[in-house]
Amino acid sequence: MNGLSTTLIVVGLFLVGGIISFVKQGLPKSVIVLLGIGAAMCLTAGLMRAEGLWS
């Protein structure tokens, strides 16, 4: 796992924490959905770049 994949995974997890916080605060659903899409994209990209994970 290189630095970029680790960074993408950490950013994705940070955004997931933001989603949890925003849901508790009762922010609009559109903001939460947008944050969820970003978190999913970061986590997916980080896991796909983690070539050492599967080889």
Side-chain angles (χ1 to χ4, degrees):
M1 210 158 38
N2 61 11
L4 182 59
S5 62
T6 303
T7 303
L8 285 169
I9 292 171
V10 168
V11 168
L13 292 175
F14 177 76
L15 291 175
V16 168
I19 293 169
I20 294 169
S21 173
F22 284 3
V23 168
K24 287 182 180 179
Q25 291 178 21
L27 281 146
K29 297 293 180 194
S30 60
V31 174
I32 295 169
V33 167
L34 203 59
L35 200 59
I37 291 170
M41 288 172 56
C42 283
L43 287 172
T44 303
L47 289 175
M48 288 178 72
R49 288 192 57 90
E51 59 204 52
L53 204 60
W54 288 283
S55 58

